[in-house]
Amino acid sequence: MTTDDISGMGPLVARLSRGGQRLRQADRAHPWVLDTAVVVLVFLMFCLPDLLHGVVDDGDAPRRFRLAFTQLPVAGMLVLQAGLVLPLLWRRRKPVAAFGVIAAVFVLQWSLGAALRADVALFVALYSLTLHGQLRHLPWACAAMAGAIALVAVRTSSAVSVWDALFFLLSTATAALALGLMVRIRRAQLAGLRERAARLEIERDQRSRLAAATERTRVAREMHDIVGHNLSVIITLADAGAYATDIAPERGKEALQLIGDTGRQALRELRRVLGVLREAADGPPSGPELSPQPGIADIEVLCAKVRAAGLEVVYRTSGDVDALDSGVQLTAYRIVQEALTNTLKHTDTGTRVHLAILVEDSRLNIRVQDTGSATPSGPPNEEGHGLVGMRERAALYGGTVSARPTGGGGWSVEAVLDLTPQGGDR
């Protein structure tokens, strides 16, 4: 077979596949059509010749073969044929019952010494039971089939050798049984593949929804950190500027300038976050490059803004903090930013804040402790989104965050991040 012959079979195979699919859909919609067609086909091929010419009236058959069987009247032949063929109408809905009725009529027929071409219905019933029935019924059906075949071999022993008859009939029964099992296994495999494809599609949709939810959570966390911190600084500076306008106008002017700087920084960070979203949806941005994510080096600028808002911040670091991964630095920056934002919200001007970032072996320790009196804005024991966000960020690096009041009336926030590389030895 040449390559052209193989390529030319493609459209034929596709047409046959579509035709088979349409037939299966039609069968599912009208199953009685196929069952009736099988009965009509068996009648035309195996029953009608017996009615027209008789079973053993063929002049070419040996005399001893013709004498081995009983001649049946037409009425009796019709009754036996109906008992053999009509149960095939429910061979798929009730395969055990259909096989049982056909096997009983088959045994009755051969007990009378009659031979009918319609006996082929017994093999069709065995095939249908193997394909559509429960496998636990199959041993009993095989035993009944073997008994019926043995009866046929005995009744035909005067014309055909018993062993020849057994070999032929058992081979035919085995072929029907094997064909039913093969089709059943093939259908089970196809059903498993369809189920697996449907499950993979569901899992793909679930992963997409989970990724979208994770991205929404990340963006919400970034927006909370950016907007919450900068608005807290702006509000504090605005209050301080309004108070200083009458007493020291230059301080009020300085507060307004700081408000403008803080607002512009917040706007830049918001553009960065929203620009990443647009880039993911529309492709590479056409505007100017986005500013990098903040890190530990930017905490000093953050502290300066908090100092300008009226808090006294003492900031120190220990260890090689500049060598930390950018993701770790962003996490540390956001945790410090949220802790300082909470201090601005809940303490008075002049509160002293001690901020320490320490790199110790494979851990990064962050401590933010203030000396002011905390006045929580929510009910007792209620955690806001800020603390939850800090814990979520720390959890990305196997870390923890704890917040608790100190003995002097202030609050302390401590975070520990694991710096061990993912997949490394712990």
Side-chain angles (χ1 to χ4, degrees):
M1 182 178 293
T2 63
T3 305
D4 295 337
D5 296 333
I6 296 176
S7 60
M9 293 176 62
L12 176 60
V13 172
R15 284 195 295 270
L16 291 175
S17 178
R18 288 193 295 268
Q21 185 176 3
R22 284 194 293 267
L23 287 177
R24 286 191 294 271
Q25 292 174 351
D27 182 46
R28 284 193 293 268
H30 306 286
W32 59 270
V33 174
L34 179 59
D35 295 334
T36 304
V38 170
V39 171
V40 171
L41 183 63
V42 172
F43 176 80
L44 294 176
M45 292 183 62
F46 301 101
C47 297
L48 193 59
D50 285 348
L51 294 174
L52 295 177
H53 307 294
V55 181
V56 294
D57 291 343
D58 192 351
D60 296 333
R63 177 177 176 79
R64 63 172 184 166
F65 186 80
R66 296 199 303 268
L67 296 176
F69 302 104
T70 303
Q71 294 289 339
L72 292 175
V74 175
M77 188 181 301
L78 281 173
V79 171
L80 290 176
Q81 287 178 345
L84 290 170
V85 176
L86 289 181
L88 295 178
L89 287 172
W90 63 84
R91 65 184 181 87
R92 294 192 293 179
R93 289 169 292 175
K94 297 180 179 179
V96 177
F99 179 83
V101 172
I102 294 175
V105 176
F106 183 88
V107 171
L108 174 62
Q109 168 209 323
W110 281 98
S111 298
L112 296 175
L116 296 174
R117 292 182 175 89
D119 291 339
V120 72
L122 183 63
F123 299 99
V124 177
L126 178 63
Y127 163 80
S128 300
L129 175 60
T130 306
L131 178 58
H132 303 289
Q134 298 181 8
L135 293 179
R136 60 187 178 89
H137 295 145
L138 202 55
W140 300 100
C142 291
M145 191 75 179
I149 288 175
L151 175 62
V152 174
V154 171
R155 296 293 296 186
T156 60
S157 59
S158 60
V160 181
S161 169
V162 173
W163 297 111
D164 291 342
L166 286 176
F167 175 79
F168 174 76
L169 294 174
L170 287 175
S171 299
T172 307
T174 302
L177 182 67
L179 181 61
L181 287 174
M182 181 185 69
V183 176
R184 185 185 186 116
I185 293 172
R186 178 61 177 169
R187 289 184 178 180
Q189 290 175 341
L190 292 177
L193 291 175
R194 284 193 292 268
E195 181 182 358
R196 183 172 181 270
R199 186 169 62 251
L200 290 175
E201 185 175 355
I202 293 174
E203 291 177 356
R204 181 198 62 192
D205 294 340
Q206 289 176 344
R207 285 195 298 269
S208 299
R209 289 194 293 268
L210 181 60
T214 302
E215 183 64 15
R216 285 196 298 268
T217 302
R218 186 191 69 80
V219 173
R221 193 163 54 224
E222 289 286 331
M223 297 288 287
H224 174 271
D225 292 340
I226 295 170
V227 176
H229 171 74
N230 288 288
L231 282 181
S232 296
V233 173
I234 288 173
I235 291 172
T236 304
L237 288 173
D239 291 341
Y243 176 77
T245 300
D246 298 331
I247 301 175
E250 67 281 357
R251 298 289 294 177
K253 181 179 179 181
E254 181 181 353
L256 291 176
Q257 291 175 344
L258 290 173
I259 289 173
D261 294 339
T262 304
R264 281 187 290 271
Q265 180 185 357
L267 185 60
R268 285 195 300 270
E269 294 188 8
L270 286 175
R271 285 175 175 172
R272 173 180 54 78
V273 174
L274 298 178
V276 170
L277 294 179
R278 285 195 298 270
E279 178 181 356
D282 304 329
S286 57
E289 289 190 9
L290 302 174
S291 59
Q293 293 274 26
I296 291 180
D298 300 294
I299 292 181
E300 185 60 50
V301 178
L302 181 65
C303 293
K305 294 181 180 179
V306 174
R307 294 188 188 101
L311 300 184
E312 182 180 351
V313 181
V314 178
Y315 170 48
R316 69 183 182 91
T317 62
S318 176
D320 191 5
V321 294
D322 294 331
L324 296 176
D325 179 75
S326 59
V328 176
Q329 294 200 33
L330 175 62
T331 299
Y333 180 90
R334 293 304 186 196
I335 291 175
V336 171
Q337 185 183 51
E338 181 60 33
L340 294 178
T341 300
N342 290 336
T343 302
L344 278 173
K345 289 180 180 178
H346 304 304
T347 60
D348 299 329
T349 302
T351 299
R352 187 181 183 89
V353 181
H354 294 274
L355 168 60
I357 298 180
L358 312 174
V359 177
E360 299 175 350
D361 297 331
S362 62
R363 297 192 308 171
L364 175 65
N365 297 307
I366 303 171
R367 287 196 289 268
V368 183
Q369 182 175 346
D370 63 70
T371 59
S373 58
T375 56
S377 59
N381 299 325
E382 179 180 352
E383 293 185 357
H385 295 290
L387 185 56
V388 173
M390 284 191 285
R391 286 176 175 164
E392 290 177 351
R393 289 183 180 277
L396 295 176
Y397 294 92
T400 59
V401 174
S402 61
R404 59 183 181 274
T406 60
W411 276 77
S412 175
V413 175
E414 295 186 8
V416 178
L417 305 183
D418 188 357
L419 303 180
T420 303
Q422 294 295 322
D425 296 334
R426 290 183 178 272

